[in-house]
Amino acid sequence: SSLPTPSVTSVLAVQKQAMAGGAPGALTRIDAGSSTYRISSGQADTATHAAMDTGRRFRVGSVSKTFTTVVLMQLVAEGRIDLDAPANAYLPKPLPDDRITVRHLLSHRSGLWDYTNEMFSSTVPGFESVRNKVFTYQELIDRSTAHQVNNEPGAAYSYSNTNFVVLGQLIEHVTGVPMATHYQQRIFEPLDLKHTSYVHPQTTISGSYARGYLRQDDTTLPLVDSTEQTVSWAQSAGAIISDAADLNRFFSSLVSGRLVPKAQLQDMMRMVPVNADGTQSYGLGLRSRKLSCGVTVYGHTGTVQGYYTYAFTTADGKRSMTSMANTSNNGSVNTVLGGTLEAAFCGTAPA
Ligand SMILES: CC1(C)S[C@@H]2[C@H](NC(=O)CCCC[C@H](NC(=O)C[NH3+])C(=O)[O-])C(=O)N2[C@H]1C(=O)[O-]
């Protein structure tokens, strides 16, 4: 492709910066045509000092939202769900506003309040209070609807985990099939994503994986090992486990039309700017970022206790990158890690 060669030196510099900022380790995998770049730094386990390596699995957080969107859009293509119908037409218990459509949920324009704002207002106590809990979708939705909405349906973009918890409930209510089965049969098996799983509410990660470390709000205190958790607070909004190779294959397959028909893919990739300079946009369960070299990449980011993830691909799927740092509650590390996008797609060094 006409893209500049990825800069391994720059990826390494970004990962070293992330570690200087407090991440025990980081990994980046770039798949560019027939070339694969595997770059890892630091530790996957700070107790055993096991080295990070790009083959390790990790919790992907909100990258899960794109997987949930693929399931939903397949059901749209099958004529079972209408994007512009009220979500209440498909739910067991109505949302407070009949005007909220399925499309509003997928584009974070429903206005539904994000219950994690309250759940994690105090980072480690919040995490410790839910890490072994199992929630129903309805319990999470009820936490949201106890609060005022952020905006009228469709009136603004306001990112909310609630939207994708409602979508998980909606898909299960319409089909009578659990999300785990949809993910497995509609995505993981067809794409042969051998290292991707949805094991909610199991707390452990199987195979080779990186441990995750949550920074405390009092940053002078030691990191908290947050690896084992149910992620029941997120489920269809954030509970998938994967690795870099599988995420690269998922996003390149998505944009190459292997997961949803053209009409649905076009719907997903119809982007609305969500930041001041228009370099970041959101479509349906999908982010895009316009990079310094003029390339726009499509994918999603993830933040779950102990793990930051960037997973993006070019519009033609010919180059994909996944980058992960095994810490969270550390905004500067998250921002620094985003520099791998410029290194991978523009071949440039971090600013
Ligand atoms: C929009 C985001 C950033 S937040 C959303 C989702 N992750 C969460 O909602 C987790 C929030 C708490 C995580 C925790 N932080 C605190 O507890 C702070 N008090 C930490 O850093 O581990 C995800 O993933 N999305 C990211 C996304 O889409 O990129």
Side-chain angles (χ1 to χ4, degrees):
S1 74
S2 59
L3 289 182
T5 305
S7 169
V8 172
T9 315
S10 300
V11 169
L12 265 175
V14 167
Q15 293 185 175
K16 293 251 178 306
Q17 256 186 300
M19 287 173 62
L27 63 85
T28 299
R29 176 179 166 129
I30 304 162
D31 287 293
S34 57
S35 304
T36 298
Y37 302 79
R38 299 176 182 83
I39 307 141
S40 53
S41 311
Q43 299 184 359
D45 183 327
T46 59
T48 66
H49 306 300
M52 184 62 82
D53 72 76
T54 59
R56 288 180 184 267
R57 306 178 70 216
F58 52 92
R59 298 188 188 282
V60 308
S62 290
V63 175
S64 308
K65 290 180 169 75
T66 313
F67 286 78
T68 300
T69 303
V70 164
V71 173
L72 192 284
M73 297 306 267
Q74 289 183 358
L75 293 169
V76 169
E78 292 161 20
R80 301 171 70 179
I81 293 174
D82 174 353
L83 277 183
D84 296 307
N88 285 346
Y90 305 113
L91 293 173
K93 180 181 171 191
L95 296 170
D97 192 326
D98 278 335
R99 296 172 299 165
I100 293 174
T101 65
V102 177
R103 194 188 297 273
H104 288 150
L105 297 169
L106 289 160
S107 54
H108 293 295
R109 300 179 72 84
S110 72
L112 292 172
W113 194 74
D114 192 335
Y115 57 83
T116 63
N117 294 335
E118 188 174 50
M119 184 180 278
F120 299 125
S121 56
S122 175
T123 302
V124 173
F127 170 64
E128 293 296 352
S129 71
V130 301
R131 71 183 297 175
N132 291 307
K133 274 217 177 108
V134 181
F135 296 99
T136 64
Y137 291 123
Q138 198 58 53
E139 284 169 334
L140 298 172
I141 295 164
D142 291 347
R143 283 171 177 246
S144 166
T145 53
H147 292 262
Q148 286 298 316
V149 292
N150 297 310
N151 52 264
E152 293 298 292
Y157 168 83
S158 51
Y159 187 102
S160 174
N161 286 298
T162 311
N163 292 317
F164 280 79
V165 167
V166 172
L167 286 166
Q169 184 188 62
L170 185 151
I171 289 167
E172 293 193 0
H173 186 66
V174 166
T175 63
V177 171
M179 282 311 294
T181 306
H182 284 299
Y183 292 137
Q184 189 66 27
Q185 292 181 353
R186 294 171 175 273
I187 305 173
F188 303 169
E189 282 169 13
L191 294 188
D192 196 26
L193 302 182
K194 287 192 174 60
H195 299 120
T196 303
S197 60
Y198 184 81
V199 293
H200 170 266
Q202 178 185 315
T203 60
T204 52
I205 305 175
S206 63
S208 169
Y209 62 89
R211 299 196 69 81
Y213 299 93
L214 178 61
R215 192 172 73 161
Q216 307 210 38
D217 290 335
D218 174 349
T219 59
T220 67
L221 296 175
L223 297 178
V224 170
D225 187 329
S226 55
T227 310
E228 282 77 29
Q229 67 157 310
T230 60
V231 202
S232 199
W233 61 266
Q235 295 182 55
S236 45
I240 284 181
I241 294 164
S242 189
D243 73 2
D246 279 7
L247 290 187
N248 284 354
R249 178 180 300 180
F250 169 71
F251 281 104
S252 62
S253 301
L254 172 63
V255 299
S256 305
R258 291 186 52 204
L259 286 171
V260 298
K262 196 173 172 59
Q264 281 67 48
L265 181 59
Q266 284 172 340
D267 256 342
M268 286 180 71
M269 294 178 79
R270 193 167 298 114
M271 292 289 161
V272 176
V274 294
N275 71 342
D277 65 5
T279 55
Q280 296 185 28
S281 299
Y282 208 95
L284 302 183
L286 196 64
R287 290 187 185 280
S288 72
R289 286 207 178 194
K290 206 175 289 178
L291 302 177
S292 68
C293 53
V295 174
T296 295
V297 291
Y298 299 83
H300 215 288
T301 46
T303 298
V304 55
Q305 287 84 1
Y307 304 94
Y308 284 130
T309 300
Y310 288 80
F312 285 83
T313 189
T314 47
D316 62 8
K318 289 196 166 71
R319 185 177 300 183
S320 303
M321 180 218 80
T322 292
S323 194
M324 182 279 289
N326 59 343
T327 195
S328 67
N329 195 36
N330 187 330
S332 63
V333 164
N334 196 17
T335 304
V336 159
L337 191 66
T340 52
L341 290 171
E342 288 284 339
F345 294 101
C346 298
T348 45

